């Protein structure tokens, strides 16, 4: 076993690095630059029961240390994802984590029931935290009771382990984490974007047509680290950490906070090679810090809680 191997429910990862959902599409563009089999896993674009065009443009705005987006879960819908997008990824030796979204519990259930039939889908990421849709999304992720109910509904039909993606846009994230654990979640992914806004000085109106958007990028890393630290001490299921990861030190900081794998989001837009670069640099930095293996590090962090 490699010192970069990480074992999670449904996922035997050759390394802990994966692109985050929403920042990698279905991998088409990035496969032109490097072998996707290098990745630990791929969290593909959110899938809803029917095609979504997303929000009106403009729906992206830069910030000094990240970006705001209000894409609104644009995707081709479950049928197209099952027919073309997921089969196209089968040529790569990499497990797929399917991000599932919806406007109602029934929507989530229908997608969860079907998407695990794809042979390369090894886990589901239940997206209850998107801040950019008017129905569903974050509405499910800010109530512990609703989050638990939705998790139970997804688990009752899913053929693969279910990870629940949590929103940072709550007063306290721990009760939501405990609720999805009680609902049977196999793991947690965190954090989604922070709700933000920018204004145009000339028009005096919001830059984004949606008004608000989700803030991602390096500026949110301290928030992600704090929340992963809190949640990892409150639940016993594994966490895939994300939020502002840029360097290999950011990756290891996520592990120290309590993560067992790490997803990279916005940085993929700045540097399309960021994921393979982090995978390549990780062993050298582990040597410098005296880290024998990632599984050893995960165990040490858990024992120190």
């Amino acid at each position: 076993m490699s010192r970069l191997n990480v074992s999670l429910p449904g996922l035997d990862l050759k390394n802990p690095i994966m692109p985050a959902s929403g920042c990698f599409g279905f991998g088409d563009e990035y496969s032109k630059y490097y072998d996707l089999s290098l990745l630990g896993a791929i969290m593909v674009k959110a899938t809803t029961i029917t095609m979504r065009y997303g929000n009106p443009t403009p729906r992206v705005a830069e910030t000094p240390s990240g970006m705001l987006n209000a894409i609104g879960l644009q995707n081709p819908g479950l049928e197209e994802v099952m027919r073309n997008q997921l089969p196209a990824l089968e040529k790569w030796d990499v497990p797929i984590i399917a991000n599932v979204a919806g406007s109602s519990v029934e929507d989530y259930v229908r997608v969860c029931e079907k998407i695990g039939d794809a042979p390369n889908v090894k886990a589901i990421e239940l997206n209850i935290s998107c801040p950019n849709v008017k129905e569903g999304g974050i509405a499910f992720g800010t109530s512990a009771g609703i989050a638990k109910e939705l998790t139970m509904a997804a688990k009752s039909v899913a053929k693969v382990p279910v990870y629940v993606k949590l929103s940072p846009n709550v007063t306290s994230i721990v009760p939501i984490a405990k609720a999805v654990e009680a609902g049977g979640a196999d793991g947690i992914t965190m954090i989604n974007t922070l709700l933000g806004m920018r204004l145009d000085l000339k028009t005096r109106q919001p830059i984004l047509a949606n008004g608000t958007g989700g803030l991602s990028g390096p500026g949110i890393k301290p928030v992600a680290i704090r929340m992963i630290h809190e949640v990892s001490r409150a639940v016993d299921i594994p966490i895939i950490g994300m939020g502002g990861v840029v360097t290999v030190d950011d990756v290891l900081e996520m592990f120290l906070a309590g993560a067992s794998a790490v997803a990279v989001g916005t940085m993929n837009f700045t540097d399309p090679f960021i994921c393979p670069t982090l995978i390549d640099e990780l062993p050298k930095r582990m040597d410098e810090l005296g880290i024998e293996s990632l599984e050893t590090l995960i165990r040490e962090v858990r024992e120190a809680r």
Side-chain angles (χ1 to χ4, degrees), residues 26 33 62 65 131 190 217 274 292:
F26 291 91
Y33 296 106
E62 292 189 14
S65 55
M190 59 185 295
I274 183 61
E292 177 184 340

Side-chain angles (χ1 to χ4, degrees), residues 182-212:
D186 298 282
I188 288 170
T189 69
M190 59 185 295
I191 58 172
N192 208 321
T193 55
L194 288 153
L195 195 59
M197 174 184 273
R198 284 202 61 208
L199 299 173
D200 186 309
L201 298 184
K202 293 181 179 177
T203 66
R204 304 184 182 183
Q205 298 298 312
I207 292 176
L208 299 177
N210 193 54
T212 61

Side-chain angles (χ1 to χ4, degrees), residues 67 76 120 137 142 165 177 200 209 217 219 242 281:
M67 63 176 280
N120 52 349
T142 53
K165 189 170 190 177
D200 186 309
M242 64 193 75
E281 292 179 351

Side-chain angles (χ1 to χ4, degrees), residues 5-297:
N5 285 149
V6 175
S7 182
L8 302 174
L11 300 165
D12 288 321
L13 308 179
K14 60 176 77 79
N15 66 71
I17 306 298
M18 63 190 78
S21 178
C23 301
F24 205 73
F26 291 91
D28 293 347
E29 293 84 1
Y30 293 89
S31 67
K32 299 170 185 172
Y33 296 106
Y34 63 87
D35 178 359
L36 300 187
S37 300
L38 293 171
L39 299 167
I42 297 175
M43 294 169 147
V44 293
K45 189 87 176 74
T47 298
T48 53
I49 190 71
T50 56
M51 180 177 67
R52 287 180 62 98
Y53 291 103
N55 292 322
T57 59
R59 50 191 188 182
V60 174
E62 292 189 14
T63 72
S65 55
M67 63 176 280
L68 281 172
N69 92 83
I71 303 300
L73 300 178
Q74 178 184 356
N75 77 94
L78 178 62
E79 185 176 334
E80 165 63 16
V81 169
M82 294 297 294
R83 182 192 304 125
N84 291 315
Q85 302 294 342
L86 291 173
L89 285 164
E90 288 182 21
K91 61 184 175 184
W92 309 104
D93 178 24
V94 61
I96 304 300
I97 302 174
N99 185 291
V100 172
S103 301
S104 66
V105 173
E106 291 72 24
D107 283 354
Y108 280 96
V109 166
R110 289 174 65 188
V111 180
C112 286
E113 190 171 27
K114 181 68 177 173
I115 207 161
D117 289 340
N120 52 349
V121 169
K122 303 302 181 185
I124 286 170
E125 181 180 50
L126 201 62
N127 186 349
I128 64 169
S129 50
C130 177
N132 298 322
V133 289
K134 291 182 171 58
E135 296 179 336
I138 199 170
F140 290 110
T142 53
S143 162
I146 295 174
K148 179 181 178 181
E149 177 190 346
L150 182 56
T151 303
M152 292 174 65
K155 280 291 294 180
S156 70
V157 298
K159 302 176 180 70
V160 294
V162 174
Y163 292 68
V164 183
K165 189 170 190 177
L166 300 187
S167 170
N169 300 299
V170 292
T171 303
S172 176
I173 198 169
V174 169
I176 310 294
K178 287 184 173 180
V180 301
E181 182 182 42
D186 298 282
I188 288 170
T189 69
M190 59 185 295
I191 58 172
N192 208 321
T193 55
L194 288 153
L195 195 59
M197 174 184 273
R198 284 202 61 208
L199 299 173
D200 186 309
L201 298 184
K202 293 181 179 177
T203 66
R204 304 184 182 183
Q205 298 298 312
I207 292 176
L208 299 177
N210 193 54
T212 61
L215 177 65
S216 61
I220 75 167
K221 194 191 80 172
V223 178
I225 294 293
R226 187 263 293 177
M227 289 189 165
I228 292 168
H229 190 270
E230 289 178 349
V231 169
S232 71
R233 282 149 180 78
V235 303
D236 292 321
I237 52 178
I239 297 168
I240 300 176
M242 64 193 75
V245 172
V246 175
T247 69
V248 71
D249 280 11
D250 296 335
V251 172
L252 292 172
E253 192 174 350
M254 289 265 172
F255 273 87
L256 291 179
S260 297
V262 174
V264 183
T266 303
M267 192 61 188
N268 285 287
F269 301 135
T270 305
D271 176 5
F273 296 100
I274 183 61
C275 286
T277 298
L278 292 174
I279 294 165
D280 183 59
E281 292 179 351
L282 195 50
K284 180 175 183 293
R285 190 60 175 142
M286 289 167 62
D287 287 341
E288 293 169 350
L289 295 170
I291 298 170
E292 177 184 340
S293 71
L294 293 178
E295 286 287 7
T296 301
L297 180 60

